[in-house]
Amino acid sequence: MTHTLVYPISSMHTPTGHLAIGGCDVVELVEAFGTPLVIYDEESIRDQCRRYMEAFRQHTDDFEVIYASKAFSSLAIDQLVLEEGLSIDVSSGGEYHIARAAGFPGERIFFHGNNKTEDELKYALSGGVGFVVVDSFQELALLEELSAERGRSRQRILLRITPGIEAHTHSYIQTGQIDSKFGFGLQDGVALTAIRRALAAPHLDLVGLHAHIGSQIFQLDGFRRAIEILVKLIGQAHDELGFECRYLNIGGGLGIRYTEEDTPSSIGDYVTVKVEGVREEMAALGLPMPRVLIEPGRSIVGKAGVTAYRVGTIKEIPGVRTYVSVDGGMSDNIRPMLYDAHYQGLLANKVEAPADTTVTVAGKHCESGDILMRDTLIAKPEPGDILVMAATGAYCYAMGSNYNGSTRPAVVLVKNGRARLIIERETYADLVAKHHPLREQGEA
Ligand code: LLP
């Protein structure tokens, strides 16, 4: 089929003209689980994990692929990536909790965040978190204090460095530039000072450095420049402070295809640029090769997931446009509104019909900006059709909300004709489960 570029790898057409994913007819899935429904293809996720692991093995034995679970954090998917041999990046106490509940051993967990609270740090330390990626001087001091109180072995840490690079991506998801809330900058020797202080902290073990320059990046040159800058700092810290960099974590960021026009780099090329970049730069300074770590999120789960909606109201404004409204929107996918992200979709019950109708797909929320796809081509829609949006596996459910009293969708994982419910749909009762009324109903 023509859609495989943006849809999960197991996508097929059924003899009845429906879309099937993981051997499951999407029309039957929504009958069983309702809409909106987030469908993840297990094979696609495993395939991406294996591509990363395989690509690394071509270059080195000393590496770690760390799943950035902010892209989609759930028990089942954390377990799946653990089975595939990945480590995990958590960006909060909550994601840490989910990773632990999924069975991740502490030493495989990297704890991130520019404002980790004392409670979060204590929780992670008490669970034996492997690595804390320290983001600020304040955190460095606090972590030293907390590790000293615990009195166990020294807590392993990395320092997050902001290499001063503006990646080619949306400004909201650039993170490597000087003007950033993240990490230690290189200007005025800030990063070097951080390394000095970390080395001097008796209860911390500074094992290496980290940098993440941004997300949804297609051009690899930014990663190469970040490595040059990081290794220069490593060389300086080695000469001046005797710092030995054993771990170099160069973040995530590989872009994916949301529409057929997108042209992301391959996992192979991305890994080559990162590993060989580190090798070349370290060798040029006569320093040993560190363990190379990367943190992909979007490229692990993005294309594996789709969202199925039911078409409701269709409004034709003659000479202007046709709005096709679906039963979800900005509460399950904020990305079009937040980043002007473009998506592609199809009608799962009409996959053989020509995609010849230009429509604008709107959500059901009380905002004119709640538009999922603008001027996109699908088969002629009718109320009741099942519209599937491609590549919604990363940062969609994860950034979901209860806006307008929406209930978060159900999430299923499909494989070989079997669908497993991995997150239940929220209910109306869930919406009030944490609320306390002013008075009970019927009370005077
Ligand atoms: N490592 C760190 C420290 C990060 O901050 C991130 C993403 C990643 C790894 C994973 O990056 P990825 O491989 O997924 O590009 N909500 C935005 C994306 C925010 C990314 C935040 N950090 C979006 O929907 O595009």
Side-chain angles (χ1 to χ4, degrees):
M1 72 181 239
T2 55
H3 310 296
T4 44
L5 278 179
V6 290
Y7 290 87
I9 54 175
S10 68
S11 305
M12 286 180 5
H13 292 184
T14 68
T16 47
H18 294 176
L19 174 68
I21 300 173
C24 298
D25 183 325
V26 169
V27 176
E28 289 172 14
L29 285 178
V30 302
E31 275 162 16
F33 297 100
T35 48
L37 181 67
V38 182
I39 304 166
Y40 279 96
D41 176 37
E42 182 170 336
E43 194 187 330
S44 293
I45 301 178
R46 292 195 189 274
D47 189 61
Q48 291 299 90
C49 293
R50 287 172 195 175
R51 276 171 202 262
Y52 269 113
M53 300 296 274
E54 211 25 64
F56 260 102
R57 284 192 202 103
Q58 309 285 322
H59 298 277
T60 177
D61 292 330
D62 197 12
F63 68 92
E64 246 169 287
V65 179
I66 305 168
Y67 171 54
S69 66
K70 70 204 77 185
F72 178 59
S73 170
S74 72
L75 285 181
I77 301 304
D78 284 8
Q79 286 177 337
L80 201 157
V81 300
L82 175 62
E83 274 178 24
E84 291 298 328
L86 276 65
S87 301
I88 198 158
D89 150 355
V90 299
S91 62
S92 67
E95 284 178 4
Y96 174 80
H97 181 80
I98 296 174
R100 286 313 301 245
F104 257 98
E107 68 267 20
R108 301 275 293 279
I109 304 181
F110 291 75
F111 190 12
H112 280 275
N114 66 302
N115 184 25
K116 305 175 191 78
T117 65
E118 184 167 340
D119 283 349
E120 284 180 313
L121 284 172
K122 280 182 175 161
Y123 181 47
L125 290 184
S126 70
V129 66
F131 302 86
V132 178
V133 183
V134 173
D135 213 281
S136 67
F137 287 112
Q138 220 174 295
E139 184 188 343
L140 194 60
L142 176 60
L143 194 61
E144 166 59 23
E145 207 180 294
L146 296 177
S147 304
E149 276 168 22
R150 288 186 57 76
R152 299 257 189 89
S153 53
R154 293 190 300 159
Q155 175 60 45
R156 287 182 292 180
I157 64 165
L158 286 84
L159 294 178
R160 178 161 183 170
I161 308 298
T162 323
I165 285 182
E166 303 203 356
H168 311 282
T169 188
H170 193 285
S171 64
Y172 285 12
I173 49 179
Q174 282 180 344
T175 45
Q177 72 280 17
I178 290 175
D179 183 1
S180 167
K181 70 171 181 169
F182 297 106
F184 298 98
L186 295 168
Q187 73 287 14
D188 309 323
V190 171
L192 203 63
T193 304
I195 296 175
R196 182 180 297 112
R197 283 199 205 163
L199 288 172
H203 301 89
L204 301 179
D205 178 15
L206 176 64
V207 299
L209 302 184
H210 168 276
H212 171 77
I213 60 170
S215 195
Q216 184 58 4
I217 296 171
F218 285 3
Q219 296 169 25
L220 301 176
D221 54 316
F223 298 118
R224 189 67 178 75
R225 276 193 295 129
I227 291 167
E228 274 170 41
I229 293 168
L230 279 175
V231 172
K232 202 169 148 210
L233 173 68
I234 291 169
Q236 199 185 354
H238 175 267
D239 294 347
E240 295 180 23
L241 308 169
F243 169 56
E244 280 175 37
C245 185
R246 286 171 277 153
Y247 290 71
L248 189 54
N249 182 337
I250 29 198
L254 178 62
I256 65 161
R257 195 179 263 118
Y258 283 95
T259 69
E260 273 153 37
E261 286 77 55
D262 287 335
T263 53
S265 299
S266 69
I267 287 179
D269 288 347
Y270 169 83
V271 169
T272 301
V273 163
K274 285 198 165 174
V275 185
E276 294 309 320
V278 173
R279 196 192 305 284
E280 283 163 24
E281 296 299 324
M282 293 297 278
L285 298 184
L287 294 171
M289 181 76 173
R291 172 181 280 241
V292 181
L293 282 57
I294 57 160
E295 284 168 344
R298 189 190 313 268
S299 52
I300 298 284
V301 290
K303 185 180 152 177
V306 305
T307 308
Y309 302 97
R310 195 172 287 279
V311 171
T313 307
I314 299 176
K315 174 180 174 180
E316 261 183 72
I317 310 174
V320 181
R321 70 177 70 247
T322 299
Y323 284 99
V324 174
S325 291
V326 296
D327 54 358
M330 59 184 285
S331 60
D332 59 77
N333 187 354
I334 192 75
R335 300 193 68 260
M337 280 182 92
L338 204 51
Y339 314 115
D340 192 25
H342 292 225
Y343 284 87
Q344 181 171 321
L346 54 72
L347 295 179
N349 53 322
K350 295 178 177 169
V351 274
E352 303 287 352
D356 57 4
T357 315
T358 301
V359 300
T360 286
V361 177
K364 72 191 296 284
H365 297 281
C366 304
E367 305 255 350
S368 298
D370 177 28
I371 300 294
L372 290 169
M373 292 185 281
R374 207 174 283 280
D375 299 329
T376 192
L377 273 173
I378 57 171
K380 188 169 172 39
E382 292 160 290
D385 282 344
I386 302 302
L387 186 134
V388 162
M389 239 168 96
T392 60
Y395 305 112
C396 292
Y397 188 95
M399 297 175 83
S401 75
N402 289 119
Y403 184 46
N404 289 149
S406 358
T407 48
R408 285 185 176 75
V411 184
V412 294
L413 184 66
V414 293
K415 186 188 178 184
N416 294 338
R418 178 164 172 232
R420 287 156 54 160
L421 184 62
I422 61 167
I423 304 183
E424 284 177 34
R425 181 179 306 284
E426 282 181 350
T427 63
Y428 290 156
D430 291 328
L431 292 178
V432 288
K434 302 280 186 209
H435 295 210
H436 293 276
L438 209 50
R439 65 181 72 82
E440 297 300 333
Q441 285 194 31
E443 201 178 288

